[in-house]
Amino acid sequence: MKNIRVLLAEDQGMMRGALALLLGMEDDIEVVAQVATGDAIVDAALLHRPDVALLDIELPGRSGLDAAADLREEAPDCRVLILTTFGRPGYLRRAMEAGAAGFLVKDGPVEELAEAIRRVLTGETVVDPALAAAALSAGPSPLTARECDVLKASVDGATVADIAGKLHLSESTVRNYLSSAIGKTGTRNRAEAVREARQQGWL
């Protein structure tokens, strides 16, 4: 009798289908909803009432990390398990802050994933051990929320004026935030700062 209801959020169709198929082979797990965007996660959770939401991080629309925080508010009975390609310490820290109950990388065996789903449902926190050690040694992100906003807005060759308009800031304020972020990431320019912040999982 299948009794663990799972919501699956993964933007790559083939990966999503494969995960649903593999998890469906478990005697006690049923995938009750599949979504391809972060914006669809909360609505799907409210409609299907899953016990566990299995979320990728990098999704169109809202990220899996943002959606995890949304679920904590909107569907507090749903446990969140982050499953990602990117085992970055900063991502793990942000996932835990958003209320996730687990964090695994995609290169593990499906049996490990099924067991993690069962364990988070009993109230355990399940985290890849190597990643947990790396996150502890890396420490928290040095960037403020506003510095992160400015870095995110600066991708794709956006000018200072573009960023200022988008975030409703003055151009001088944007320059100050960019300068501070470049200094904190130990890089030479904003493109390098964005790359480093992403690599660390701070963005």
Side-chain angles (χ1 to χ4, degrees), residues 83-95:
L83 182 66
T84 180
T85 307
F86 305 101
R88 296 169 181 164
Y91 277 169
L92 171 58
R93 188 175 288 274
R94 287 168 59 200

Side-chain angles (χ1 to χ4, degrees), residues 85-169:
T85 307
F86 305 101
R88 296 169 181 164
Y91 277 169
L92 171 58
R93 188 175 288 274
R94 287 168 59 200
M96 295 297 110
E97 288 169 356
F103 192 106
L104 296 173
V105 289
K106 288 180 182 174
D107 58 4
V110 72
E111 294 82 10
E112 189 177 290
L113 175 58
E115 189 56 32
I117 289 171
R118 297 181 187 106
R119 286 171 62 193
V120 298
L121 204 52
T122 66
E124 283 188 59
T125 298
V126 182
V127 176
D128 181 282
L131 194 55
L136 284 172
S137 63
S141 168
L143 300 173
T144 66
R146 218 48 174 140
E147 287 163 355
C148 286
D149 290 341
V150 169
L151 282 181
K152 285 177 190 171
S154 73
V155 298
D156 302 324
T159 65
V160 169
D162 293 335
I163 300 167
K166 184 176 181 180
L167 298 179
H168 309 292
L169 299 170

Side-chain angles (χ1 to χ4, degrees), residues 17-56:
L19 277 171
L21 189 65
L22 289 167
L23 289 173
M25 291 178 180
E26 299 291 322
D27 292 337
D28 56 345
I29 295 174
E30 179 185 7
V31 177
V32 295
Q34 299 179 45
V35 299
T37 68
D39 298 329
I41 290 171
V42 171
D43 287 344
L46 293 175
L47 180 63
H48 297 281
R49 294 294 174 183
D51 301 304
V52 178
L54 195 57
L55 310 182
D56 192 6

